[in-house]
Amino acid sequence: MSNDLFPENVVTTEEKLLYIQELLGEQQENQVCELFSTLTQHELSHTLESFPYEQRKKLWECVPNEIRGAVLADLYEEVRNSLLTGVEVAEIAEITKDLDAQDAAEILDGLAEEIGADVIEQMDEERREEVQGVLAYEEDAVGRYMHTDTVSIRENVKLEVVQRFLRMKDEIQKNTLELMVVDADNRLVGTLHVIDLLKNDPDALVVEIMEPPESVLDTMCAMDAAKYIRSKNHHFAPVVTDCGVLVGQLTADDVFELTLEESEQTVMNMAGLDEDEDLFAPVKSSVRGRTVWLGINLVTAFLAAWVIGNFEAVLSQVVALAVLMPVVASMGGIAGSQTLTLTIRGLAMGKIGGSNRKWLFNKELWIGVINGVVWALVVAVIAHLWFDDVMISTVIGLAILINMVAAAVSGVVVPLVLKKLGQDPALSGAVILTTVTDVVGFLSFLGLATILILN
Amino acid sequence: MSNDLFPENVVTTEEKLLYIQELLGEQQENQVCELFSTLTQHELSHTLESFPYEQRKKLWECVPNEIRGAVLADLYEEVRNSLLTGVEVAEIAEITKDLDAQDAAEILDGLAEEIGADVIEQMDEERREEVQGVLAYEEDAVGRYMHTDTVSIRENVKLEVVQRFLRMKDEIQKNTLELMVVDADNRLVGTLHVIDLLKNDPDALVVEIMEPPESVLDTMCAMDAAKYIRSKNHHFAPVVTDCGVLVGQLTADDVFELTLEESEQTVMNMAGLDEDEDLFAPVKSSVRGRTVWLGINLVTAFLAAWVIGNFEAVLSQVVALAVLMPVVASMGGIAGSQTLTLTIRGLAMGKIGGSNRKWLFNKELWIGVINGVVWALVVAVIAHLWFDDVMISTVIGLAILINMVAAAVSGVVVPLVLKKLGQDPALSGAVILTTVTDVVGFLSFLGLATILILN
């Protein structure tokens, strides 16, 4: 609707992406550049993230100068850094000069330290102080995410005066829902809904209409702040310092992005990936990124192999055990990962704590026992039909039961313990759980076989 | 701040949850009921979701009548249904009577069909039509999620008149960002930012200030609509019918919730869980919910076992193969799940399509080859140190290489094919991938062993 450069049936970002790929395939780079001028900042960052490095670098040249900074701030960190590698300090300074201090700080943070310092060097004093102020916050603090372009008013003025004031102000964000009411020392005393400003008598005073402030601290962890704001049914929150001085606000967008980020992190971390991993990164950096995880997994895999190695005697006598062995480990792994995922999500949402941990443990234990008995019988019957050996069926049935109970228990306990130790349960939970279910699975299956069959 | 019933250090939802658990532990049910009257709707639904069924049912009685409907609509489906089981039709009718049609429809949808019909029966005609209208939409359509309480104005009036009109209106949602401009037939012709209403000359006409409408269709898939709105840098969108008639709006909240839901779904589905699974469900229903997934996994586990079973000859001769076998499957499984997770997220975000699929395939293939070579060498060396047998080391090295390449290829191909078939890649991707890496792993390892060692 808003742009006629795309064919009429190309509307969504996905369709636009396909269309741009098509044009590039036909070497129509100029037309792509023209199209880029009609795209929103989100569409641009989405498109850039959907191209491999070489093409991305070329496409970046088509991004209109005036929104380069905003697009950069919107990109995944890894993608952003790939675009900024080798770019001159002067150019980075130029791109970031109109960004708010938070976005500028985020971009500078990803750069090599000398380059970041050089860019800061080039700023005028006011700007430099502002950006350095943001960089002084911890990386996950509210101060890093907040927007400083708040609209502040005083409490003892009439609504009509506020309206006149707004009319004179240059620019106000279109998504502004509330105005900040501050005292002479810029301390937050309340907030005024834009809607309330419209709905009430123009002669009323701000102080009569405003609501008490529900603010968050600038040093608070941003994800916790987002959770807190959402729990309050609010869409935004003023940000204040320890002394109550207004320094910015978290907008509805910020709150949402923070919440979404946490959810995305879980998916990626559970697979041992960095949440900022670039889908279209060069092979080299991807290989590097995944090495640690594969290395850790190799250690646990050899641990499992070592367990099996202790039972060579029984394995060499009853080869059916080697055949059935993976079934025990696999069923435990699946059952455990279900419990693990539930627990990790529950912890992330703040639903698990206090006495319900015990309840959850008991519940999952019972599920483990019931599922264990059911699947032990099923597996035992199948094993019996296959190998026609009562001992083998008994051994595998018991091992399945033991392993599924162990899986349920560790699915709850592992993330709780990791959380207590200050670790991210999503990051190492899965690998620890698989180790437990592999080791317990092989140990119980081959151990029982040694006792019941070998002797 | 807003309520003095909680101790001063109890601020976040998590802290409140712990405090309520404590009170319940001390049998202070009355005090909990008092506290409940100070909680927001989100805090109430969060608290209810964090208790097992028995206690939840009791706590529900403490939820103030006037927000029961809103809390119900906010709860996970499974939790909501657990609370409504056995509740009288008259009571459900009472609880839902003040909800908007969308929320009411969502609640009724989860009920047994007769009960839902009975509740609808009890509504007055206007309300009934409204709710049935919502229920007529597909379950994932925009019409199910939109809010109908939009504020509509005409284009040829002065801003001053709009302000007077707003002042007379009973109630306007505090998070209203835009007003809808419609013609005499209620067709959407534009939108007016509340901020623009404030900032412009009161004598200006709406038509001079308003922006062209960027709407979504009521029959569109809600998650796609949310993605589209976000791509446009918008926070909300008017909803229109095929003929352009305004029927409601998706608020910023709706857009966020829909986006978040999709992300949560991926985490849960990848573990074979329903995204609405109740963390504190009774054991019975949890066991039932997880059975299908365990059953499917059992089939694939036995498929892997069957593959192994074809190599009893070589296994009975070289027991070291049984010991090392799981290492091959495990390394393939981990490498594959990394590629799979990346691809699934990329697909969900609409970043993969067209020519970049081939690029992604090539990239992951190369990662598979490089990682395959590296880890093949590492594993071969370890195996050699352990068993001191060149043949075994050669076999396991080659098998690791083959399996990691197969893992990389299927990590990309499996979700792409599933998507093409109209299936959710997150739901069945993991189980198919594991099957591939197990089967390929065992087949290549034991097959190579048969060829190289047995002959």
Side-chain angles (χ1 to χ4, degrees):
Chain A
M1 259 181 259
S2 62
N3 44 61
D4 313 302
L5 290 171
F6 282 101
E8 208 175 306
N9 60 343
V10 173
V11 178
T12 66
T13 319
E14 271 173 276
E15 288 158 358
K16 288 183 179 174
L17 174 61
L18 290 182
Y19 186 67
I20 291 171
Q21 286 181 348
E22 227 172 85
L23 290 178
L24 280 184
E26 298 160 3
Q27 317 283 334
Q28 310 265 17
E29 267 106 2
N30 289 340
Q31 214 184 321
V32 173
C33 274
E34 264 176 61
L35 285 177
F36 264 35
S37 64
T38 70
L39 294 180
T40 67
Q41 157 198 337
H42 274 305
E43 286 173 328
L44 284 171
S45 59
H46 188 276
T47 305
L48 288 170
E49 281 169 357
S50 308
F51 277 96
Y53 179 70
E54 297 297 321
Q55 287 172 294
R56 184 186 289 160
K57 202 77 179 167
K58 259 191 252 168
L59 287 174
W60 173 243
E61 300 303 321
C62 293
V63 176
N65 278 324
E66 61 276 18
I67 51 167
R68 284 194 170 193
V71 171
L72 268 189
D74 206 29
L75 288 170
Y76 278 116
E77 189 177 342
E78 225 188 272
V79 178
R80 177 169 60 229
N81 294 346
S82 79
L83 285 176
L84 289 180
T85 321
V87 174
E88 301 276 320
V89 169
E91 197 180 332
I92 299 176
E94 175 66 25
I95 293 172
T96 56
K97 80 173 191 309
D98 291 327
L99 290 180
D100 65 33
Q102 275 66 25
D103 284 345
E106 200 189 336
I107 293 174
L108 296 182
D109 228 21
L111 298 174
E113 219 169 301
E114 327 76 83
I115 299 180
D118 283 351
V119 176
I120 291 177
E121 193 78 359
Q122 302 214 351
M123 296 171 179
D124 64 40
E125 202 183 313
E126 193 190 350
R127 172 75 167 171
R128 182 159 52 226
E129 267 175 27
E130 212 185 352
V131 171
Q132 281 173 334
V134 173
L135 284 170
Y137 286 112
E138 299 268 349
E139 216 185 322
D140 58 356
V142 168
R144 283 288 184 107
Y145 292 86
M146 67 188 181
H147 284 80
T148 46
D149 51 354
T150 53
V151 181
S152 300
I153 54 176
R154 290 300 188 78
E155 60 182 337
N156 49 2
V157 294
K158 288 185 184 172
L159 298 189
E160 186 198 14
V161 177
V162 175
Q163 281 217 32
R164 270 215 305 279
F165 165 73
L166 292 182
R167 229 167 272 148
M168 274 156 37
K169 243 182 105 68
D170 306 336
E171 209 181 315
I172 302 176
Q173 292 290 324
K174 292 267 159 121
N175 58 348
T176 304
L177 286 169
E178 305 192 42
L179 310 176
M180 310 286 149
V181 187
V182 294
D183 67 11
D185 298 325
N186 203 28
R187 266 197 292 261
L188 186 72
V189 293
T191 54
L192 180 69
H193 274 279
V194 167
I195 291 291
D196 285 332
L197 176 60
L198 279 168
K199 275 194 70 68
N200 287 284
D201 181 356
D203 283 329
L205 290 175
V206 168
V207 69
E208 297 164 8
I209 316 287
M210 72 181 194
E211 288 174 30
E214 291 246 29
S215 54
V216 294
L217 280 180
D218 55 350
T219 51
M220 189 176 180
C221 162
M223 284 195 183
D224 291 343
K227 228 181 273 177
Y228 174 73
I229 295 167
R230 274 164 61 83
S231 79
K232 287 288 163 202
N233 276 15
H234 286 173
H235 302 88
F236 109 109
V239 181
V240 297
T241 65
D242 244 349
C243 332
V245 172
L246 178 73
V247 285
Q249 63 173 323
L250 285 181
T251 64
D253 255 21
D254 299 331
V255 171
F256 172 66
E257 291 297 338
L258 282 164
T259 313
L260 191 63
E261 208 175 288
E262 185 169 39
S263 167
E264 294 287 338
Q265 253 182 30
T266 309
V267 192
M268 299 294 268
N269 285 353
M270 282 185 80
L273 297 164
D274 190 276
E275 69 264 25
D276 267 335
E277 164 126 9
D278 175 4
L279 191 57
F280 298 99
V283 171
K284 211 176 87 191
S285 71
S286 298
V287 169
R288 214 180 311 122
R290 300 190 201 170
T291 296
V292 178
W293 195 245
L294 287 165
I296 294 173
N297 181 65
L298 188 68
V299 174
T300 76
F302 268 107
L303 181 64
W306 174 77
V307 171
I308 302 171
N310 285 302
F311 297 99
E312 288 197 16
V314 73
L315 277 170
S316 62
Q317 277 200 17
V318 191
V319 78
L321 296 177
V323 174
L324 291 172
M325 204 166 63
V327 175
V328 180
S330 166
M331 289 301 277
I334 292 284
S337 80
Q338 293 192 318
T339 306
L340 182 78
T341 304
L342 268 185
T343 310
I344 287 175
R345 285 314 297 149
L347 279 173
M349 292 180 181
K351 284 192 182 144
I352 301 175
S355 60
N356 68 15
R357 281 178 299 195
K358 206 174 139 210
W359 195 95
L360 184 68
F361 179 85
N362 285 332
K363 173 198 148 202
E364 291 295 329
L365 179 62
W366 270 108
I367 294 177
V369 169
I370 295 173
N371 271 334
V373 169
V374 170
W375 295 105
L377 290 172
V378 173
V379 171
V381 168
I382 299 176
H384 195 74
L385 293 173
W386 190 347
F387 293 101
D388 195 20
D389 181 323
V390 177
M391 270 323 202
I392 290 179
S393 310
T394 310
V395 166
I396 198 169
L398 287 173
I400 288 267
L401 174 59
I402 292 171
N403 204 24
M404 286 184 80
V405 172
V409 169
S410 34
V412 176
V413 172
V414 167
L416 285 177
V417 170
L418 286 171
K419 170 111 193 211
K420 194 137 243 171
L421 296 175
Q423 302 294 311
D424 175 9
L427 196 54
S428 37
V431 90
I432 297 179
L433 183 98
T434 320
T435 311
V436 171
T437 52
D438 276 0
V439 168
V440 172
F442 295 136
L443 196 62
S444 57
F445 184 52
L446 300 175
L448 284 169
T450 306
I451 298 168
L452 295 179
I453 300 178
L454 207 59
N455 300 323
Chain B
M1 260 182 256
S2 62
N3 44 61
D4 313 304
L5 290 170
F6 283 100
E8 207 175 310
N9 60 344
V10 174
V11 178
T12 67
T13 319
E14 272 173 276
E15 287 159 358
K16 287 182 180 176
L17 175 61
L18 290 181
Y19 186 67
I20 291 170
Q21 286 181 348
E22 226 173 84
L23 289 179
L24 280 184
E26 298 161 3
Q27 316 284 333
Q28 309 265 17
E29 267 105 3
N30 289 340
Q31 212 184 323
V32 173
C33 274
E34 265 177 61
L35 284 178
F36 263 35
S37 64
T38 69
L39 295 181
T40 67
Q41 157 200 337
H42 275 306
E43 286 174 329
L44 283 171
S45 59
H46 187 276
T47 306
L48 288 170
E49 281 169 357
S50 308
F51 277 97
Y53 180 69
E54 298 296 321
Q55 286 172 293
R56 183 187 291 161
K57 202 77 180 164
K58 260 191 250 166
L59 287 173
W60 173 244
E61 299 302 321
C62 294
V63 176
N65 277 322
E66 62 276 17
I67 51 168
R68 283 193 171 195
V71 172
L72 267 188
D74 206 29
L75 288 170
Y76 277 116
E77 189 177 342
E78 225 189 273
V79 178
R80 176 167 62 229
N81 294 346
S82 79
L83 285 176
L84 288 180
T85 320
V87 174
E88 302 275 322
V89 169
E91 198 180 329
I92 298 177
E94 175 67 25
I95 293 172
T96 56
K97 81 173 192 305
D98 292 328
L99 290 180
D100 65 32
Q102 274 66 23
D103 283 346
E106 199 189 337
I107 293 174
L108 296 183
D109 229 21
L111 298 175
E113 218 169 299
E114 328 76 84
I115 299 179
D118 283 352
V119 175
I120 291 177
E121 193 79 0
Q122 300 214 355
M123 296 172 178
D124 63 39
E125 204 183 309
E126 191 190 351
R127 171 75 167 171
R128 183 159 53 223
E129 268 176 27
E130 210 184 354
V131 171
Q132 281 172 336
V134 174
L135 285 170
Y137 286 112
E138 299 268 351
E139 216 183 320
D140 58 356
V142 168
R144 283 288 184 106
Y145 292 88
M146 67 188 180
H147 284 80
T148 47
D149 51 354
T150 53
V151 181
S152 299
I153 54 175
R154 290 298 190 79
E155 59 182 336
N156 48 3
V157 294
K158 288 184 181 173
L159 297 188
E160 184 197 17
V161 177
V162 174
Q163 280 218 34
R164 272 214 305 277
F165 165 73
L166 292 182
R167 229 167 271 148
M168 274 157 35
K169 246 182 103 68
D170 304 338
E171 209 180 311
I172 302 176
Q173 292 290 326
K174 293 266 160 124
N175 57 349
T176 304
L177 285 169
E178 304 193 43
L179 309 177
M180 309 288 149
V181 187
V182 293
D183 68 10
D185 298 324
N186 204 30
R187 267 196 292 261
L188 187 71
V189 293
T191 54
L192 180 70
H193 274 279
V194 167
I195 291 292
D196 285 332
L197 177 60
L198 279 167
K199 275 196 70 70
N200 286 284
D201 181 357
D203 283 328
L205 289 176
V206 169
V207 70
E208 297 164 9
I209 316 288
M210 72 180 193
E211 289 175 28
E214 293 246 29
S215 54
V216 295
L217 280 181
D218 56 349
T219 51
M220 188 177 181
C221 163
M223 283 192 184
D224 292 343
K227 229 180 273 175
Y228 174 72
I229 296 167
R230 274 163 59 82
S231 79
K232 287 288 161 201
N233 275 17
H234 286 172
H235 303 87
F236 110 108
V239 181
V240 296
T241 66
D242 245 349
C243 331
V245 172
L246 178 74
V247 286
Q249 63 172 324
L250 284 181
T251 64
D253 254 22
D254 298 331
V255 173
F256 290 171
E257 291 298 337
L258 282 164
T259 311
L260 194 60
E261 210 174 285
E262 186 169 38
S263 167
E264 293 287 338
Q265 253 182 31
T266 309
V267 192
M268 298 295 268
N269 286 352
M270 283 186 80
L273 297 164
D274 190 275
E275 69 263 25
D276 266 337
E277 165 127 8
D278 174 5
L279 191 56
F280 297 99
V283 171
K284 214 176 85 191
S285 71
S286 298
V287 168
R288 214 180 312 123
R290 300 190 199 171
T291 296
V292 179
W293 195 246
L294 288 165
I296 294 172
N297 181 66
L298 188 67
V299 174
T300 76
F302 268 106
L303 181 64
W306 174 78
V307 171
I308 302 170
N310 285 301
F311 297 99
E312 288 197 15
V314 73
L315 276 171
S316 62
Q317 279 197 19
V318 192
V319 78
L321 295 177
V323 174
L324 291 172
M325 202 166 63
V327 175
V328 180
S330 166
M331 288 302 276
I334 292 285
S337 81
Q338 292 192 319
T339 306
L340 181 79
T341 303
L342 267 185
T343 311
I344 287 176
R345 285 316 297 148
L347 279 174
M349 291 179 180
K351 284 189 185 148
I352 302 175
S355 60
N356 67 15
R357 282 176 300 192
K358 207 176 137 209
W359 196 95
L360 183 68
F361 178 87
N362 285 332
K363 173 198 149 202
E364 291 295 329
L365 179 63
W366 272 109
I367 295 178
V369 170
I370 295 173
N371 271 334
V373 170
V374 171
W375 295 106
L377 289 173
V378 173
V379 171
V381 168
I382 299 176
H384 196 76
L385 293 175
W386 191 347
F387 293 101
D388 196 19
D389 182 323
V390 177
M391 271 320 201
I392 290 179
S393 310
T394 310
V395 167
I396 198 168
L398 287 174
I400 289 266
L401 173 59
I402 293 171
N403 204 23
M404 285 183 81
V405 173
V409 169
S410 34
V412 176
V413 172
V414 166
L416 285 177
V417 170
L418 285 171
K419 170 111 192 213
K420 195 137 241 174
L421 297 175
Q423 302 294 311
D424 175 8
L427 195 53
S428 36
V431 90
I432 297 179
L433 182 98
T434 321
T435 311
V436 171
T437 51
D438 276 2
V439 168
V440 171
F442 295 137
L443 197 61
S444 57
F445 184 52
L446 299 176
L448 284 169
T450 306
I451 298 167
L452 297 178
I453 301 178
L454 206 58
N455 300 322

